[in-house]
Amino acid sequence: MAKNYEHIRKPEWLKIKLNTNQSYMKLKKLMKDKKLNTVCEEARCPNIHECWSERKTATFMILGDTCTRGCRFCAVKTGLPNELDWGEPERVAESVEIMGLKHVVVTSVARDDLNDGGAAVFGETVRAIRRRVPGCSVEILPSDMKGDYESLSTLLGGEPDIFNHNIETVRRLTKKVRAIAMYDRSLELLRRVKELRPNTPTKSSIMVGLGETKEELIEAMDDLRAHNVDIVTIGQYLQPTKKHLNVERYYHPDEFEELKRIALEKGFSHCEAGPLVRSSYHADEQVSKTTAQRRMEYAKGYEETSGEQLSTTNF
């Protein structure tokens, strides 16, 4: 495998055409007007146009735009974060309502400067979305909060539909890829969430192309299943800038299909695997039957009070 990213040509299946249509531009302006951050933009996600314009999903990044960590794979800026903005949860909820979203992922920068890692703002953001858009499912994607499990109850207070926390890579490469985060600490966080909320689906994501082996990927899957993780996403790592880690190898779409097959055979209820897959990719398809039922009940109640019929495909 090549050691210099510049010597590896990006394969055809990773070359996408951006669709900056009117709908996308309208949503981009809304984010700016509301002074909100999305990981879709900050992390330079290749699926932003599909999610925003077609699938009616988005990933909001709360707690500011500056991370206290400096992971070598991530494009989000690192530095001293700003003061907490307690008006942010309501602005996020208002934007969800305006955008007509059916599924929202709420993530954040790492806030190691806060005692609770930002758990209180997470909880309030979920509750604010629930108040404004009861039919929208909500997934949260927090940092490991440096192992402060005392804040888990606060974090889960809004009763998210999915709890997502990414291990990002295999055990051997964790120190190289992630800053401060620990492989086993992430697994322990996922285990404790399942212990507190057995019916809440848990989820994690793995990047490939950083020098891991197939055997290590399978081991990571086994570790996630041993901690009762329900959903896994697997995608190609893409180097954000020359300052970040090099891509060691590009996986072929057929290899992703094989990894998906292996994941499902190991008992994951859902697996998204592909070159452009990211943690939030097709997240709206991963909600549990309980969440789907809540959506349907909301749609039914809305029709009874408003007289307007809603398509079940929107919920």
Side-chain angles (χ1 to χ4, degrees):
M1 293 186 292
K3 296 298 180 183
N4 189 331
Y5 168 71
E6 294 188 37
H7 291 168
I8 306 176
R9 291 186 62 185
K10 186 178 289 186
E12 288 299 319
W13 59 80
L14 281 171
K15 297 176 182 178
I16 59 173
K17 183 178 180 180
L18 299 182
N19 180 22
T20 54
N21 57 26
Q22 186 176 358
S23 176
Y24 167 77
M25 296 307 295
K26 182 179 178 181
L27 296 179
K28 188 176 178 68
K29 183 178 184 301
L30 176 65
M31 295 299 105
K32 184 178 180 180
D33 291 345
K34 295 295 181 182
K35 298 180 180 179
L36 296 173
N37 303 298
T38 66
V39 77
C40 317
E41 295 175 289
E42 296 292 334
R44 307 177 187 183
C45 180
N47 307 305
I48 184 171
H49 306 87
E50 177 188 355
C51 293
W52 283 19
S53 301
E54 299 173 24
R55 302 191 68 87
K56 291 297 182 181
T57 64
T59 302
F60 291 89
M61 189 173 74
I62 62 173
L63 302 174
D65 63 353
T66 305
C67 188
T68 55
R69 303 183 185 182
C71 296
R72 297 185 65 199
F73 68 91
C74 184
V76 176
K77 67 180 179 181
T78 304
L80 296 175
N82 299 321
E83 293 292 325
L84 283 182
D85 179 0
W86 285 99
E88 189 174 47
E90 198 59 42
R91 293 202 308 278
V92 169
E94 183 182 2
S95 298
V96 170
E97 184 178 33
I98 294 172
M99 293 167 73
L101 300 181
K102 66 176 183 177
H103 184 82
V104 175
V105 181
V106 180
T107 188
S108 76
V109 292
R111 289 297 300 263
D112 296 327
D113 58 312
L114 302 175
N115 290 334
D116 69 347
V121 179
F122 257 103
E124 183 52 35
T125 301
V126 178
R127 284 189 290 270
I129 295 170
R130 290 268 190 259
R131 288 192 296 267
R132 278 188 175 263
V133 196
C136 181
S137 53
V138 184
E139 175 180 332
I140 61 172
L141 173 54
S143 73
D144 59 15
M145 299 178 293
K146 295 184 73 173
D148 177 20
Y149 305 122
E150 295 295 323
S151 298
L152 263 183
S153 295
T154 303
L155 192 65
L156 295 168
E159 299 187 2
D161 295 289
I162 297 177
F163 183 94
N164 185 353
H165 176 71
N166 298 332
I167 60 171
E168 307 291 6
T169 188
V170 299
R171 181 185 294 275
R172 176 177 59 87
L173 296 176
T174 295
K175 287 184 179 180
K176 175 183 177 182
V177 175
R178 305 170 74 193
I180 301 178
M182 301 176 186
Y183 186 83
D184 287 312
R185 189 163 68 190
S186 288
L187 291 173
E188 177 65 10
L189 176 69
L190 289 160
R191 184 193 70 78
R192 289 184 182 237
V193 169
K194 204 66 174 177
E195 191 175 76
L196 286 171
R197 298 289 175 88
N199 295 324
T200 298
T202 50
K203 174 181 172 182
S204 195
S205 182
I206 305 171
M207 299 177 291
V208 298
L210 288 161
E212 69 292 323
T213 65
K214 181 179 178 181
E215 290 72 24
E216 288 175 318
L217 287 172
I218 293 173
E219 179 186 20
M221 291 185 201
D222 288 335
D223 289 339
L224 290 172
R225 288 299 298 134
H227 289 75
N228 297 314
V229 174
D230 302 292
I231 303 164
V232 65
T233 60
I234 307 170
Q236 175 70 52
Y237 166 67
L238 299 175
Q239 186 185 38
T241 73
K242 292 182 179 180
K243 295 180 180 179
H244 292 83
L245 288 170
N246 294 335
V247 175
E248 298 288 343
R249 181 166 80 86
Y250 289 113
Y251 281 55
H252 189 274
D254 291 346
E255 293 179 278
F256 283 105
E257 281 298 316
E258 182 184 10
L259 290 172
K260 180 176 182 177
R261 177 186 59 77
I262 293 171
L264 294 175
E265 287 177 352
K266 288 187 175 296
F268 289 100
S269 63
H270 191 98
C271 174
E272 289 285 348
L276 296 176
V277 166
R278 296 296 178 265
S279 181
S280 304
Y281 189 65
H282 289 192
D284 56 307
E285 297 178 355
Q286 301 159 20
V287 295
S288 66
K289 291 182 179 179
T290 301
T291 297
Q293 182 62 34
R294 179 174 60 76
R295 282 180 175 175
M296 293 299 294
E297 290 173 356
Y298 168 72
K300 182 180 179 180
Y302 182 89
E303 290 171 359
E304 290 175 349
T305 57
S306 69
E308 179 184 346
Q309 187 172 5
L310 295 177
S311 170
T312 55
T313 58
N314 292 329
F315 292 92

